[in-house]
Amino acid sequence: MTRYSAVSTDADADAPPSPTSSPSAASDLPLSQKLIKVIGNVCFSFFVLAVLVVTVIAVTYQPPDPWLSSSAALTTSLSATLQNSTFRPDDSVLPTGEDLVPLNSSLIPVNSSSSPSASSVPDLVDSSSTTASEEAAAASESCDPDKPVNCSDPRVLNAVKAFNQKAFTRRSIIFLSYDIPVPGSKPGECDVAWRFRNRKEKSWRRYRDYRRFQLAPGDNCTIEVSWVGKFRSGTNAAKSRPRTQSPASSTPVKVPDSEINDTIPTVGSESEFKRGKYLYYTRGGDYCKSMNQFIWSFLCGLGEAQFLNRTFVVDLSICLSGAYNPWYGKDEEGKDFRFYFDFEHLKESASIVEEEEFLRDWRRWDKKSKSGNKISVRKVPTYKVTPMQLKKDKSTVLWRQFDGPEPENYWYRVCEGRAAKYIQRPWQAIWKSKRLMNIVTQIAGKMEWDYDAVHVVRGWKAQNKQVWPNLDADTSPDALVDKMTKLIPPWRNLYIATNEPFYNYFDKLRSHYKVHLLDDYKEMWGANSEWYNETMELNGGKPVPFDGYMRVAVDTEVLYRAKTRVETFNNLTRDCKDGINTC
């Protein structure tokens, strides 16, 4: 019995200590184990929580519209609505797609007249010279310094290219292609035309300039530029069709831009029409509202058409809100979409058809379907029918109708709520009219692309002192002189983009700067201008007034191209852009 106990005691001595056998050990080791477990549990809990948070975000998060979010200013101006869901008219700046979307060469249409042509690609790569053999041959034939300069000599074009690269490259000008030089008005003068784009414009559109160069023989049989004319001074190099005379003047009419192609596309045959799928919006409450609301709603419809993989029916007849013409004071119906926006680019960027052409073909092919195979149409009477519900619809025409009261009849209501996660507004499809952009190019060219600009907001905002209490005083003539002389060096070209109606309001700045206002360039939309004749042709032979929206569109683009830009609400006034307590 005693031996058994001894054996049992030895065995117990080799066994792990039990909680009751060693009080001191029991008080240390279990506590450390518990501490490790607690730390491990806490870390694991944080890990699980992080996984849950990431999972919820991944499931529910929808990224914002990339075109819209690329400009905070546009987001603010277009998404901020009043209580009655109508947009506050913004008559200060008007950005569109070419101001927001970075240039992407992979998106350039191959056959687009607005994109660099194949012949211009070598100039994009190396616009410095012609081949060495051509220049050597020309030099051997005309090395006599007393011999008149031959404009077809390859050395002439090389001298012009070298001069342009040195003079204009730092001014954001990218040269794309050159035409063959032609003789100027005097011996030793050559007129040269070229195409270029502005680096500050986020599009691939090309513009033309033609200048008169005075050239002279240089050292080692070279040709050097001794003098160059101003923007579009080389009139002999302007490719022109037979010129006609304006009834009001003997001045020759300007040559139209041959690269603009805003003709209306046709639908095609009956079989092609019936194979197509169309999204048709009738006019709603957006008609005659501000242009910001029009663009917001139009891009909603275009975005839905792209989501549904359908062709969007575009009404080219739009209504300009009277807010853009305070001197007229009335809404103006029957304005052509092409007066304001680049229809050619829209055709290249999205699948569209013009409304009148669409309705004509719809009626024609529907009447001729005597076999009973009518064109299938689904009427959608409310915006509450979401694009997701229409995704699988097989009807040829989806006809959205907006017959309800405001704001139920606004187009952009289609893209609200859950639909906002699926419909992406294609901002890249909306560019300003090439005709308006030609005016912008001419104004910037007259200042040799070397100017600064200030954006002075006045108008109705300066009059509303309850919302903008300091704006009127902060943009007074004396206040402008005091602030601008601290921001812009003296005697620079200063372009003033403004809605101030009085031309002489900025006269005090003329003592410090070479001041330029939009009204200084009225000849660019006058009766002898390219713009006047081209828009009159679009308008059935009736002159088109240069309205308030066009003025702001041109002001905006000239402002964006300035070397230094001074803004009203960032630099000139203490007030917030959208009123008190909104900064």
Side-chain angles (χ1 to χ4, degrees):
M1 186 70 179
T2 302
R3 185 178 179 182
Y4 175 77
S5 298
V7 172
S8 298
T9 302
D10 294 340
D12 291 341
D14 295 333
S18 65
T20 58
S21 62
S22 178
S24 61
S27 63
D28 292 335
L29 189 58
L31 286 175
S32 62
Q33 289 177 344
K34 287 182 179 180
L35 184 60
I36 292 173
K37 287 182 179 180
V38 169
I39 295 174
N41 289 338
V42 170
C43 293
F44 183 73
S45 299
F46 277 115
F47 172 75
V48 172
L49 180 62
V51 170
L52 288 175
V53 170
V54 171
T55 303
V56 170
I57 292 175
V59 171
T60 62
Y61 175 69
Q62 177 69 20
D65 191 330
W67 310 115
L68 182 59
S69 61
S70 61
S71 172
L74 188 66
T75 303
T76 302
S77 64
L78 293 185
S79 62
T81 58
L82 300 179
Q83 291 182 353
N84 65 353
S85 295
T86 187
F87 281 75
R88 181 180 304 183
D90 183 1
D91 57 357
S92 56
V93 291
L94 298 167
T96 45
E98 71 268 48
D99 307 315
L100 306 175
V101 185
L103 178 64
N104 187 343
S105 59
S106 64
L107 298 177
I108 297 178
V110 176
N111 297 321
S112 170
S113 64
S114 60
S115 61
S117 63
S119 63
S120 69
V121 173
D123 287 307
L124 288 168
V125 178
D126 180 10
S127 61
S128 59
S129 64
T130 55
T131 63
S133 58
E134 289 178 341
E135 187 163 345
S140 62
E141 293 178 2
S142 57
C143 202
D144 184 358
D146 297 325
K147 188 175 181 180
V149 173
N150 181 5
C151 292
S152 61
D153 187 332
R155 294 176 299 164
V156 169
L157 185 56
N158 281 343
V160 170
K161 288 181 177 181
F163 178 87
N164 283 350
Q165 288 293 338
K166 184 177 179 180
F168 297 112
T169 302
R170 291 184 179 180
R171 300 179 186 180
S172 301
I173 301 301
I174 300 174
F175 295 95
L176 302 176
S177 63
Y178 287 83
D179 294 341
I180 297 174
V182 297
S185 59
K186 299 177 182 178
E189 291 183 349
C190 297
D191 289 0
V192 186
W194 58 82
R195 288 171 177 79
F196 67 94
R197 58 172 295 266
N198 193 298
R199 190 178 286 107
K200 293 186 178 181
E201 180 180 338
K202 300 179 179 67
S203 76
W204 53 79
R205 282 193 294 209
R206 302 183 302 173
Y207 302 95
R208 294 191 77 231
D209 191 3
Y210 35 89
R211 301 197 180 214
R212 181 153 294 168
F213 289 82
Q214 194 173 75
L215 302 114
D219 298 332
N220 300 322
C221 291
T222 60
I223 294 178
E224 297 178 351
V225 174
S226 57
W227 174 86
V228 61
K230 294 185 177 181
F231 183 78
R232 294 193 174 178
S233 56
T235 53
N236 291 349
K239 291 183 178 179
S240 62
R241 62 187 183 185
R243 299 190 174 193
T244 58
Q245 299 293 322
S246 169
S249 172
S250 60
T251 306
V253 175
K254 300 293 183 180
V255 182
D257 189 334
S258 60
E259 293 187 350
I260 297 177
N261 176 20
D262 50 14
T263 56
I264 296 173
T266 57
V267 176
S269 64
E270 179 181 1
S271 60
E272 290 175 329
F273 185 90
K274 291 184 176 180
R275 281 199 304 268
K277 302 292 182 184
Y278 305 94
L279 177 63
Y280 177 38
Y281 278 31
T282 57
R283 286 181 184 172
D286 306 277
Y287 196 66
C288 293
K289 292 295 189 295
S290 73
M291 199 66 90
N292 279 338
Q293 181 168 341
F294 169 77
I295 295 175
W296 187 252
S297 292
F298 178 84
L299 290 179
C300 170
L302 191 62
E304 184 188 21
Q306 293 183 342
F307 173 76
L308 299 175
N309 197 25
R310 288 177 173 268
T311 297
F312 190 58
V313 181
V314 176
D315 182 4
L316 290 183
S317 179
I318 64 178
C319 177
L320 184 69
S321 169
Y324 295 106
N325 289 321
W327 57 87
Y328 181 64
K330 296 180 181 179
D331 298 336
E332 296 181 78
E333 298 188 48
K335 293 282 191 174
D336 197 304
F337 179 95
R338 295 169 291 181
F339 294 166
Y340 307 99
F341 304 105
D342 191 328
F343 189 61
E344 179 181 11
H345 175 67
L346 180 62
K347 291 186 295 183
E348 294 168 347
S349 304
S351 177
I352 62 168
V353 62
E354 192 270 330
E355 184 185 54
E356 287 188 8
E357 183 78 19
F358 168 77
L359 293 177
R360 187 184 304 114
D361 287 342
W362 183 2
R363 296 189 191 100
R364 178 174 57 177
W365 302 132
D366 210 33
K367 288 181 180 179
K368 289 188 176 182
S369 296
K370 298 181 179 180
S371 61
N373 185 20
K374 294 284 187 178
I375 295 171
S376 57
V377 180
R378 176 178 175 179
K379 294 183 179 180
V380 185
T382 174
Y383 73 90
K384 295 179 181 178
V385 179
T386 66
M388 297 76 78
Q389 293 173 298
L390 301 174
K391 182 70 173 175
K392 296 182 180 179
D393 195 285
K394 303 298 182 182
S395 303
T396 300
V397 180
L398 284 180
W399 186 358
R400 276 201 181 271
Q401 298 171 322
F402 298 86
D403 299 326
E406 296 184 21
E408 302 294 312
N409 60 353
Y410 292 160
W411 284 11
Y412 68 78
R413 301 301 298 273
V414 172
C415 299
E416 293 181 337
R418 288 185 61 244
K421 297 182 178 181
Y422 297 89
I423 307 302
Q424 302 295 322
R425 286 176 170 84
W427 287 101
Q428 78 281 5
I430 288 289
W431 288 358
K432 292 182 178 70
S433 163
K434 177 72 183 306
R435 296 181 178 91
L436 290 178
M437 296 301 293
N438 283 340
I439 294 177
V440 172
T441 299
Q442 291 178 62
I443 293 175
K446 294 286 187 181
M447 295 184 284
E448 298 293 349
W449 295 278
D450 185 19
Y451 65 95
D452 303 312
V454 56
H455 179 210
V456 181
V457 177
R458 288 188 53 78
W460 60 275
K461 285 189 177 182
Q463 296 171 9
N464 189 344
K465 295 187 178 181
Q466 291 183 341
V467 182
W468 295 276
N470 304 298
L471 179 60
D472 187 29
D474 288 342
T475 56
S476 67
D478 291 328
L480 287 173
V481 170
D482 180 61
K483 291 170 184 176
M484 291 302 298
T485 52
K486 298 175 183 176
L487 298 171
I488 304 294
W491 299 116
R492 288 275 296 160
N493 284 317
L494 179 65
Y495 185 85
I496 303 177
T498 183
N499 58 352
E500 169 57 49
F502 299 106
Y503 178 83
N504 295 325
Y505 187 83
F506 303 98
D507 279 357
K508 289 190 176 182
L509 285 171
R510 298 183 188 275
S511 300
H512 304 271
Y513 302 101
K514 301 173 186 175
V515 172
H516 302 260
L517 294 165
L518 183 60
D519 282 335
D520 294 330
Y521 301 96
K522 287 183 178 180
E523 73 277 3
M524 295 180 183
W525 60 85
N528 297 311
S529 66
E530 296 176 19
W531 181 89
Y532 181 90
N533 289 279
E534 292 174 18
T535 53
M536 187 168 62
E537 186 176 342
L538 282 179
N539 203 36
K542 299 178 182 178
V544 177
F546 197 76
D547 58 50
Y549 182 85
M550 297 170 182
R551 294 178 65 91
V552 180
V554 172
D555 257 354
T556 297
E557 294 301 324
V558 178
L559 177 72
Y560 284 168
R561 283 156 179 72
K563 283 193 171 182
T564 302
R565 198 165 83 199
V566 178
E567 290 286 354
T568 299
F569 294 103
N570 290 333
N571 307 109
L572 299 181
T573 183
R574 296 160 283 172
D575 290 341
C576 303
K577 181 177 181 181
D578 296 319
I580 295 175
N581 298 326
T582 60
C583 293

